[in-house]
Amino acid sequence: GQQVMQIPQYQHVQEGEDFTTYCNSSTTLSNIQWYKQRPGGHPVFLIQLVKSGEVKKQKRLTFQFGEAKKNSSLHITATQTTDVGTYFCAGPGNTDKLIFGTGTRLQVFP
Amino acid sequence: DVKVTQSSRYLVKRTGEKVFLECVQDMDHENMFWYRQDPGLGLRLIYFSYDVKMKEKGDIPEGYSVSREKKERFSLILESASTNQTSMYLCASSSDRVAADTQYFGPGTRLTVL
């Protein structure tokens, strides 16, 4: 079945370092969404990318959708302790359901 | 702002009990979803509903059922709880069926089955 994988599963960084998580789908996606889940919290929508090669920025976060619309990345510049959490990508499945990636848990040490 | 609420943040039940998890959304969304979240496994879809009295199985429906009698309310039922159903349960809603619209999540219910 359709799968959405993310790497790495965990990432520990020192505050101020950059961080990147990668999302790969087994099939072409019409769009990709990114969510953030703080420890003890619930997933919260961050952004949606629709176009091939699209790049969007939210302050220190840069989101990219691959040219083939099968992969995506989230890059955080100069991480802060407030960036701690699990980041999920998600894309539409064959039956219009969202397929969530496995998530990348980010830990930031001060 | 969309608000999705779940009936309990924490729940402890015994094996064999019938368990009801309730979810309510206040934005008149058509679609509602139930996921379970386990370490290393991400979010797995249990059931979803595109309309009142309508339900569809997700990826892991075994051991669960659902009920959607009103548009704003979506209930997850564990007919006979088992220890392997100990998990975090997340409810979500979205407004547009096409292209899997943005989902809004409730705070989650952490269920422990003893």
Side-chain angles (χ1 to χ4, degrees), chain A residues 6 19-23 31-37 44-67 71-77 83 86-90:
Chain A
Q6 280 183 256
F19 159 77
T20 304
T21 174
Y22 300 91
C23 175
N31 69 76
I32 191 89
Q33 300 175 28
W34 284 92
Y35 293 76
K36 176 183 178 181
Q37 183 176 22
V44 175
F45 173 77
L46 292 176
I47 205 162
Q48 177 174 282
L49 305 171
V50 178
K51 298 176 184 176
S52 168
E54 187 172 12
V55 177
K56 285 189 176 180
K57 291 192 175 186
Q58 287 181 350
K59 296 182 180 178
R60 294 177 295 102
L61 277 61
T62 302
F63 304 84
Q64 188 165 7
F65 200 9
E67 294 290 341
N71 56 72
S72 181
S73 65
L74 158 59
H75 179 82
I76 303 178
T77 304
D83 296 324
T86 301
Y87 293 85
F88 293 97
C89 62

Side-chain angles (χ1 to χ4, degrees), chain B residues 82-96:
Chain B
S82 62
T83 54
N84 62 15
Q85 292 178 309
T86 291
S87 186
M88 170 67 84
Y89 289 87
L90 289 161
C91 175
S93 71
S94 72
S95 63
D96 188 353

Side-chain angles (χ1 to χ4, degrees), chain B residues 34-51:
Chain B
W34 275 106
Y35 296 89
R36 65 176 282 176
Q37 184 175 28
D38 302 287
L41 297 177
L43 294 163
R44 293 184 291 168
L45 182 64
I46 304 171
Y47 267 97
F48 60 106
S49 169
Y50 286 135
D51 202 352

Side-chain angles (χ1 to χ4, degrees), chain B residues 15-62:
Chain B
T15 301
E17 280 193 81
K18 190 168 186 176
V19 182
F20 292 87
L21 302 182
E22 303 283 339
C23 176
V24 178
Q25 50 93 5
D26 67 356
M27 283 301 292
D28 202 35
H29 280 176
E30 302 293 329
N31 314 309
M32 297 187 75
F33 307 83
W34 275 106
Y35 296 89
R36 65 176 282 176
Q37 184 175 28
D38 302 287
L41 297 177
L43 294 163
R44 293 184 291 168
L45 182 64
I46 304 171
Y47 267 97
F48 60 106
S49 169
Y50 286 135
D51 202 352
V52 175
K53 296 193 185 294
M54 178 272 177
K55 61 185 179 184
E56 288 195 31
K57 293 180 179 179
D59 300 316
I60 52 165
E62 296 78 20

